[in-house]
Amino acid sequence: MNTNSKSGKLAGASILSAVAASLCCITPVLALISGASGVASTFSWMEPFRPYLLGITILVLAFAWYQKLKPRTAAEIQCACEEDEKPPFMQTKMFLGIVTIFAFLMMVFPYYGHIFYPKADKEIVVVSSDNIQEVKFNVSGMTCASCEEHVKNEVNKLPGIVSVSASSKEGNAIVKFDNSKTDKAAITKAIDATGYKVSGEVTKENPPHGQAGHVCGPNGCK
C-alpha cells in the first residue's frame, strides 16, 4: 500500500472518529431539523467516550499528515515517475486539508451547536401575579449546550412559559411559568419527549415578579 493510499484511508478514519466524538451533541440538532424530537438523546451514552474519540481523531490526522509530508524515498520517487499520473483527489493534500477542517468543526460542535436553535421570543400577559410558579426539574441525559437548547426549545413551545434555563452540568432545567396556562405535568411531558428524562422536581417559592396585568417574556416581567 503506497503512502497516498494510506493517507486517504486515515482521512476517512479521522472523519468517522470526529463525528462519533460529537454525535451526542449533533443528534439534538438533527432532531430539531427533522422534527423527530424524541431521538435527541439517542447517543448521549457516548459522552464518556468523547475524550478518547477526540484523542483518536487527533492522532489519526497527525499520522495522516506525517505520511503525506514526510520525504519520499528514492524507490517511491522512481515508482511515481514510472506511473506518471496524478493521484486520485482523495489521496491529495487538498483533500486531507478539507478532512482536517471538517474533523475540527465536528470536534468543537458542542461549543457552537446551540446557534441552530431558534431564540424564544414571546410575551405572556399574566392575569394574576400569584399564578407565576418556578420549578426545578432534575433532568438526566443532557451532555452539552445542544442538549440544553433542545430542552429549552421544547418547553418554550408550551403556553404560559415565562422563562426556562437548562444546565447539563447541573442536570436540571429551571422553568418559570404561569400555572393558569400550563402545569408541571405538561412541562415534564415536554422534557421527556426530547428523550432526556425528568427524574424529579423541586417547587420553589414564588419569586418576585410583576404585578397583575404586567407583561412577562423569556427575560422576565416588565
Side-chain angles (χ1 to χ4, degrees), residues 66-128:
Y66 169 75
Q67 290 286 329
K68 183 63 68 177
L69 299 176
K70 73 176 182 179
R72 293 188 295 176
T73 64
E76 289 173 335
I77 294 174
Q78 182 179 358
C79 180
C81 291
E82 290 175 354
E83 292 177 355
D84 194 27
E85 62 180 21
K86 292 183 179 180
F89 176 69
M90 292 184 66
Q91 297 177 8
T92 63
K93 291 180 183 178
M94 180 177 290
F95 176 73
L96 185 56
I98 293 172
V99 167
T100 301
I101 294 172
F102 178 78
F104 174 76
L105 291 174
M106 289 296 97
M107 289 190 291
V108 300
F109 187 88
Y111 300 101
Y112 66 84
H114 63 278
I115 67 175
F116 294 98
Y117 289 85
K119 297 296 183 182
D121 185 19
K122 59 181 181 180
E123 292 188 343
I124 304 150
V125 177
V126 180
V127 177
S128 171

Side-chain angles (χ1 to χ4, degrees), residues 190-207:
I191 296 175
D192 286 346
T194 65
Y196 309 111
K197 298 300 180 182
V198 173
S199 56
E201 61 187 47
V202 177
T203 302
K204 297 184 177 182
E205 294 183 1
N206 287 352

